[in-house]
């Protein structure tokens, strides 16, 4: 079956979770909560987890409950040394270039962060569009409304003809509920509710042949 577009997450999808990027961002999130909101250190982690589970992202919870400025938050938490964690990945570039379809980034992170990751990995020119968290405001993945807004922003008219590639099961389940073919990254076997699983994007041709046909997982 042919498909018209490939939709990718960024963090822990374009690069492996062992890179340390998300841990570094997490430290910045905790520091933001402590320094900007004056939450005691011993309460930061539990607050962050509670916000994430209730609102989908820590930022959305902070905006709703603490009137945090999203732009200020995103600038602060993504202020990390990307070059210390990621290296150019020519093999990944070659793999993605096998597919002529439109390639779209859809992330709960900021545009600046996504562009920094893409550039550091040597993937400039690979993606046709970046749909970031501010593009889908006030929503976020895995909310179905976030996906619907992302479809509008990226001019995806038939989600059923698109592939979603993400590390998050919740995001993938939401995408599948809207008819997308979903691939989990970072898993050695397929979890319930996803169509295919791969350890890294370098394995993409094993489940999606480069001619665009959907392969078996």
């Amino acid at each position: 079956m042919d498909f018209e577009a490939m939709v990718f997450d960024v963090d822990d999808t374009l690069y492996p979770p062992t890179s340390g990027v998300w841990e570094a961002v997490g430290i910045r999130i905790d520091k933001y909560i402590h320094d900007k909101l004056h939450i005691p250190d011993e309460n930061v982690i539990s607050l962050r987890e509670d916000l994430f589970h209730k609102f989908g992202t820590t930022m959305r919870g902070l905006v709703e409950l603490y009137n945090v400025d999203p732009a200020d938050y995103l600038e602060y938490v993504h202020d990390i040394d990307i070059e210390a964690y990621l290296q150019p990945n020519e093999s990944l570039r070659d793999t993605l270039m096998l597919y002529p379809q439109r390639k779209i980034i859809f992330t709960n992170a900021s545009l600046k962060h996504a562009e920094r990751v893409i550039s550091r990995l040597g993937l400039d020119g690979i993606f046709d569009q970046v749909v970031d968290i501010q593009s889908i405001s006030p929503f976020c993945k895995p909310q179905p409304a976030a996906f619907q807004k992302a479809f509008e922003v990226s001019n995806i008219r038939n989600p059923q003809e698109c592939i979603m590639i993400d590390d998050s099961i919740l995001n993938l389940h939401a995408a599948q509920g809207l008819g997308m073919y979903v691939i989990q990254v970072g898993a050695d076997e397929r979890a319930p509710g996803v169509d295919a699983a791969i350890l890294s994007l370098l394995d993409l041709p094993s489940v999606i042949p480069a001619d665009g046909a959907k392969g078996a997982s």
Side-chain angles (χ1 to χ4, degrees), residues 104-109 129-133 135-136 149-150 153-154:
I104 299 164
I105 290 290
F106 178 25
T107 176
N108 277 341
Q129 187 173 357
V130 176
V131 180
D132 74 321
I133 187 67
S135 299
I136 57 172
K149 196 157 188 180
V153 169
S154 58

Side-chain angles (χ1 to χ4, degrees), residues 6 8 96 99-105 126-129:
M6 307 172 79
F8 297 81
L96 296 179
Y99 301 93
Q101 288 83 3
R102 275 207 305 154
K103 300 173 191 67
I104 299 164
I105 290 290
I126 291 292
F127 300 102
D128 300 276
Q129 187 173 357

Side-chain angles (χ1 to χ4, degrees), residues 42-89:
E42 61 268 24
N43 297 334
V44 167
I45 293 178
S46 61
L47 173 61
R48 180 180 162 191
E49 292 178 347
D50 186 55
L51 294 175
F52 179 82
H53 289 298
K54 286 183 178 178
F55 293 93
T57 65
T58 303
M59 186 190 81
R60 187 164 173 266
L62 291 176
V63 170
E64 291 285 337
L65 300 182
Y66 294 88
N67 199 32
V68 160
D69 176 25
D72 179 68
Y73 172 87
L74 291 169
E75 182 69 26
Y76 188 99
V77 304
H78 291 132
D79 185 17
I80 64 171
D81 183 8
I82 284 288
E83 293 188 355
Y85 301 100
L86 301 176
Q87 300 296 324
N89 191 334

Side-chain angles (χ1 to χ4, degrees), residues 5-57:
M6 307 172 79
V7 181
F8 297 81
D9 180 41
V10 172
D11 293 305
D12 291 350
T13 296
L14 295 185
Y15 58 81
T18 53
S19 69
V21 170
W22 194 241
E23 287 78 3
V25 172
I27 290 172
R28 295 290 294 172
I29 293 174
D30 292 345
K31 185 172 174 57
Y32 185 94
I33 294 172
H34 173 74
D35 292 351
K36 299 266 187 167
L37 304 179
H38 310 294
I39 303 296
D41 282 331
E42 61 268 24
N43 297 334
V44 167
I45 293 178
S46 61
L47 173 61
R48 180 180 162 191
E49 292 178 347
D50 186 55
L51 294 175
F52 179 82
H53 289 298
K54 286 183 178 178
F55 293 93
T57 65

Side-chain angles (χ1 to χ4, degrees), residues 161-177:
E161 296 179 6
C162 298
I163 294 172
M164 180 75 192
I165 304 166
D166 202 309
D167 65 293
S168 167
I169 287 292
L170 291 178
N171 293 343
L172 293 171
H173 285 171
Q176 191 177 61

